Structure formats: C-alpha cells, structure tokens
C-alpha cells in the first residue's frame, strides 16, 4: 500500500497529493538531518515514504526539487517564528537594537543546529528562488529600519542589512567547519560587536568628540531618510522627490 491519492481519497485528489508531498518532505528532512544529503536519494525517500519512486518526479520534478522543498519548509518555519517575534517586539515598543541582536543570534543558533538545511539555504541559486528567504530578508530589513528610525544607525539601512546577514552567515560557516569541541563560544558575540561598531553611532568617549559629531550627523540623515516615505503633508510625488534627494545625500556621505 502506498500514499498515492486515488480518485476517491477523502478530501479529494488535491488533498491526497498535498499529503503525499508533505510526507515526502518529512522523510527527506529526516534523512537529511540524520545521514546527510548523500542519503537523500529518490529510492530511499520513496521507500521510507511508502510510495513508488516516480511519485517524487511527479510531485517535485527531480531530487533537487525535493531538496528545494525541504529547505523551503525549514526556512518558512524559522522565518514565521522570526516574523511573530518581530511583531511582538514592535508592538511592545522593545529596544530595536536588542531585537536586532536577538535575531542575529537566533540566525546563528538555527544554522549551527541545522547544518544540512543551512548548507541547502546557502546555495545562492536556491536562495534566489526561495520565497522564505525573501520573507526572512524582509523581516531583517524591518528590524534594521526600526534601528534607523531610532536615530542609532549611521550607515544606510541596506548596508546594515548586508553586514548583519554576511556576519551571521560567516559565523555559521566558520563554526560548522570547526570540530564541535574546538569552536569558539564567543565568536558570534565578537562578530556582533564588530558589526555594531561599524554601523551604530558611538558615544563620545569611545569615538572622540569630532568623530561622534560626524556619526551623529550621519545618523540624523539615515533617520530622516527612514521616515521620509511616511511624512505627512506631502503628496506622493513630493515624498518620492524627498526620498531621492535623501538617498543621494546618504550615498554621497558614505562613498
């Protein structure tokens, strides 16, 4: 007996196909986590799921399509949790920098705990076609935007997004490439501090008065650029023009 959906399957063929698809993803994810990508063969997945091997090709196109689905589901679950946390944080007026910090460490923890999924999601071609990856990036951008609105960001928002994302990915790759017993437990914290030093306004004591004043000026420009699209009293064309001016000024300040 297989999991194939027949014409009289409860809920209809579509529901049956969805159940088969979900079961195949479950099985492939288990094999991936327990034995690595080499174990995720069409024969092994089909046998464990109780279906014929051609079912995988009908549902996913090929083995790579199945791996895409495994990575996408894991990413969707992680991103959904991040999005809920981000909404809760914004709703209670939490410190935007602490929210961004928590998200950074959550990303690192997820990658280290799910190495095979991380490697799948680290494939640039897979990321480009991943809806979950785009959703995750949107959550990160929203968090960075809140830091900018608070007047604490002295670099363009996109640069901060790129730095946070790159730093997290680099930490995960380094930790996974190091034997578990030899990993530096402070690596993520040190990388986070490096990102903070590169993107945030520093106090006068650590930056020196002239540098602190320059950073404060840059942060004001970034904050104004962040709030410009929502400024009241302007029509769409005026807002667009203001945003363009501020974008050019921001870019010139960081050339």
């Amino acid at each position: 007996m297989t999991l194939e959906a027949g014409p009289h399957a409860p809920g209809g063929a579509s529901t049956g196909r969805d159940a088969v698809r979900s079961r195949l993803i479950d099985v492939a994810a288990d094999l991936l986590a327990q034995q690595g990508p080499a174990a995720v063969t069409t024969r092994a997945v089909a046998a464990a799921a109780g279906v014929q091997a051609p079912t995988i090709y009908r549902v996913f196109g090929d083995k790579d399509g199945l791996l895409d689905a495994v990575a996408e589901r894991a990413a969707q679950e992680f991103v959904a949790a991040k999005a809920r946390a981000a909404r809760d944080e914004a709703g209670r007026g939490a410190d935007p920098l602490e929210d961004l910090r928590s998200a950074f460490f959550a990303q690192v923890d997820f990658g280290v705990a799910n190495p095979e999924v991380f490697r799948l999601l680290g494939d640039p071609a897979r990321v480009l076609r991943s809806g979950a990856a785009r959703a995750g990036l949107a959550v990160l951008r929203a968090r960075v935007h809140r830091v900018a609105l608070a007047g604490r960001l002295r670099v363009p928002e996109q640069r901060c997004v790129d730095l946070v994302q790159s730093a997290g990915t680099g930490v995960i790759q380094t930790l996974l490439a190091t034997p578990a017993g030899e990993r530096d437990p402070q690596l993520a914290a040190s990388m986070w501090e490096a990102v903070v030093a590169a993107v945030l306004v520093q106090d006068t004591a650590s930056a020196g008065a002239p540098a602190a004043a320059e950073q404060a000026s840059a942060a004001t420009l970034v904050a104004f650029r962040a709030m410009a699209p929502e400024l009241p009293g302007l029509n769409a064309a005026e807002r667009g023009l203001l945003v363009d001016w501020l974008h050019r000024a921001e870019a010139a300040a960081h050339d």
Side-chain angles (χ1 to χ4, degrees), residues 4-99:
E4 293 281 12
H8 303 295
S14 177
T15 300
R17 182 183 176 88
D18 289 345
V20 172
R21 187 178 192 278
S22 181
R23 174 61 177 158
L24 288 167
I25 294 173
D26 287 343
V27 168
D30 287 342
L31 286 171
L32 183 70
Q34 295 169 16
Q35 302 178 45
V40 187
T41 65
T42 54
R43 184 184 299 274
V45 173
V51 303
Q52 299 299 316
T55 302
I56 293 175
Y57 295 96
R58 287 197 294 273
V59 176
F60 300 103
D62 56 18
K63 174 186 169 179
D64 202 51
L66 173 59
L67 289 174
D68 276 349
V70 170
E72 190 72 1
R73 178 195 278 180
Q76 285 173 347
E77 292 172 350
F78 178 60
V79 169
K82 287 204 305 181
R84 288 192 298 271
R87 287 193 297 270
D88 292 344
E89 292 153 0
R92 68 173 184 268
D95 177 21
L97 181 60
E98 180 56 32
D99 294 343

Side-chain angles (χ1 to χ4, degrees), residues 9 25 27 119 121 176 187 190 208 218 220 226 241 251:
I25 294 173
V27 168
R119 291 184 180 105
L121 294 172
L176 291 179
L187 181 62
S190 296
T220 299
L241 185 59

Side-chain angles (χ1 to χ4, degrees), residues 54-222:
T55 302
I56 293 175
Y57 295 96
R58 287 197 294 273
V59 176
F60 300 103
D62 56 18
K63 174 186 169 179
D64 202 51
L66 173 59
L67 289 174
D68 276 349
V70 170
E72 190 72 1
R73 178 195 278 180
Q76 285 173 347
E77 292 172 350
F78 178 60
V79 169
K82 287 204 305 181
R84 288 192 298 271
R87 287 193 297 270
D88 292 344
E89 292 153 0
R92 68 173 184 268
D95 177 21
L97 181 60
E98 180 56 32
D99 294 343
L100 184 59
R101 177 187 178 280
S102 296
F104 174 82
F105 284 99
Q107 176 193 359
V108 172
D109 290 344
F110 174 82
V112 173
N114 301 274
E116 299 303 342
V117 170
F118 169 75
R119 291 184 180 105
L120 286 176
L121 294 172
D123 178 353
R126 197 168 260 119
V127 169
L128 288 174
R129 59 180 181 260
S130 169
R134 290 191 294 273
L137 188 58
V139 173
L140 175 56
R141 283 175 173 151
R143 280 194 163 102
V144 169
H145 186 64
R146 289 184 60 219
V147 176
L149 287 174
R152 302 171 76 175
L153 194 63
R154 62 182 172 90
V155 302
E157 290 182 47
Q158 187 57 49
R159 183 172 298 177
C160 181
V161 168
D162 291 343
L163 284 170
V164 171
Q165 191 173 40
S166 299
T169 299
V171 168
I172 296 167
Q173 289 177 332
T174 300
L175 291 176
L176 291 179
T178 306
E182 300 174 17
R183 293 173 183 171
D184 179 358
Q186 297 303 314
L187 181 62
S190 296
M191 182 63 80
W192 173 252
E193 291 302 322
V195 171
V196 165
V199 302
L200 294 188
V201 176
Q202 307 298 311
D203 59 38
T204 304
S206 60
E214 183 178 344
Q215 291 179 14
S217 177
T220 299
L221 178 59
V222 171

